Amino acid sequence: MRTPLVAGNWKMNGTRASVAALTQGVAAGVAGLEGVEVLVCPPYVYLAEVAAAIGTAPVRLGAQDLYTAAGGAYTGEISAAMLVDSGCAYVIVGHSERRALLGETDGTIARKFMAAQENNLIPILCVGETLDERQADSTLAVIGSQFNAVADAVGIEAFSQAVVAYEPVWAIGTGETASPEQAQEVHAALRAMAAKRSAKIAADLRLLYGGSVKAGNAAELFAMPDIDGGLIGGASLDADEFLAICRAAAV
Ligand code: PGA
């Protein structure tokens, strides 16, 4: 039984004041919500404050990225151990914005995945195709090479403590969502790729969908058999909208 996970990726948004209000709204709204794990991923600089504001509410904390080294002379970077020290349980790795804008390769992403797990952080590995790749009918090849590059490097056993998020690049922040059937097709293919390596790990692996998920389309996406929750960008910046998405995932 896979417990659904709904993760808010706040990206580079917010101020101390808005982040405090958003955290308070989410923390208050999850009271009594069962059958779903709720996670928020604020910008680094707000992690400790968000951790404090969450208090004992059932909201997990995650970061949006990490650096591979354990510490030392890496100006501007943040280690996995620092994230744990700040209250994180999860970290996003390989988001398409970092792949496209910051030049992250599958090799870097695999090393970040490993650095996270060495510190008991659960990596959320993002994969997804661009519009050109979808139109060229290479969606499953792209997803496969992104997933397999990391699985080859870390081994399938590592996915017993990881989450994978399918985020079609053309659906991120565009208002355009993959249809439930389009998303399910990719999720089923991803699970099959994992199952080739280990049927047991594939069966337990949580696969999130991300890309313009909102309260209005979440339920039909989450009803798909291989969609185990969502990675939510824009809609996670509004506590009521995010909570409605969390409720849609609750089983
Ligand atoms: P979006 O972003 O929900 O704003 O499309 C999703 C993501 O990038 O994780």
Side-chain angles (χ1 to χ4, degrees), residues 14 20 29 51 117 122 132 139 151 153 156 160 162 164 181 197 202 204 212 215 240:
Q117 287 196 332
I122 300 175
D132 283 352
T139 298
I156 193 65
S160 66
V164 177
E181 294 73 23
R197 296 168 186 262
D204 291 342
S212 297
D240 290 340

Side-chain angles (χ1 to χ4, degrees), residues 9 11 95 97 167 171-174 210-213 231-235:
N9 174 9
K11 307 194 179 182
H95 190 279
E97 287 152 14
E167 298 206 304
I172 295 179
T174 58
S212 297
V213 178
L231 182 53
I232 321 299

